[in-house]
C-alpha cells in the first residue's frame, strides 16, 4: 500500500506561482512512476507531468511553466509558474507500483 498526501494548493492571481507537494509513505520502494494529474470542472482528468528513473515528461499545455521533481525523501513536487485561469483545477498526485494510487487532491484556483 502507498499513501499520498498533497499540499500547497490555493488561490493565486494570474501570472503567479504555486508549488504543490505530495508526500508518499508506505511501500514507497515499490513505486515505479509518480506524476501529477488535474481535473477541471466538467472536464476529464488529464496528465500534467510524470517522473521516473528514466526521466520526466510534461504536458504541452504547461511546458515551460511547470516543473516536476522528486526528492530523496519521496516527496513529489510540482512548481507552477505563470499560472493562468485555464490552470484552475483539482490537482492529484499519482504513484504507480503494482497498481495506481491517488492522493485526495488539492484545489488550485487562478483568478484573472
Amino acid at each position: 500500500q502507498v499513501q499520498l498526501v498533497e499540499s500547497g494548493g490555493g488561490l493565486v492571481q494570474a501570472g503567479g506561482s504555486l508549488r504543490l507537494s505530495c508526500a508518499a509513505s508506505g511501500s514507497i520502494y515499490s513505486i515505479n512512476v509518480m506524476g501529477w494529474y488535474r481535473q477541471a470542472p466538467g472536464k476529464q482528468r488529464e496528465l500534467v507531468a510524470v517522473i521516473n528513473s528514466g526521466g520526466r515528461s510534461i504536458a504541452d499545455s504547461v511546458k515551460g511553466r511547470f516543473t516536476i521533481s522528486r526528492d530523496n525523501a519521496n516527496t513529489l513536487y510540482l512548481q507552477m509558474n505563470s499560472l493562468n485561469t485555464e490552470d484552475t483545477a483539482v490537482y492529484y498526485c499519482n504513484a504507480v507500483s503494482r497498481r495506481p494510487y491517488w492522493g485526495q487532491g488539492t484545489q488550485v484556483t487562478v483568478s484573472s
Side-chain angles (χ1 to χ4, degrees):
Q1 294 285 336
V2 174
Q3 294 80 42
L4 303 171
V5 179
E6 300 109 331
S7 61
L11 174 64
V12 64
Q13 286 190 329
S17 298
L18 282 175
R19 189 175 81 155
L20 305 183
S21 300
C22 172
S25 60
S27 300
I28 56 177
Y29 60 89
S30 67
I31 296 175
N32 298 311
V33 181
M34 294 190 76
W36 290 97
Y37 289 72
R38 67 184 182 185
Q39 187 166 18
K43 295 186 178 181
Q44 289 187 331
R45 191 172 297 188
E46 64 175 358
L47 174 66
V48 177
V50 293
I51 187 169
N52 60 19
S53 58
R56 62 199 74 190
S57 178
I58 302 285
D60 288 343
S61 59
V62 303
K63 195 168 292 184
R65 300 188 296 120
F66 290 13
T67 304
I68 188 170
S69 61
R70 179 179 174 183
D71 68 15
N72 292 333
N74 290 297
T75 300
L76 184 71
Y77 300 97
L78 185 67
Q79 177 66 43
M80 305 185 294
N81 299 326
S82 301
L83 286 160
N84 59 58
T85 55
E86 294 183 351
D87 297 318
T88 294
V90 178
Y91 284 71
Y92 296 92
C93 178
N94 169 268
V96 179
S97 58
R98 294 183 181 86
R99 70 168 181 87
Y101 294 88
W102 295 93
Q104 80 285 359
T106 184
Q107 177 69 47
V108 172
T109 302
V110 184
S111 63
S112 58

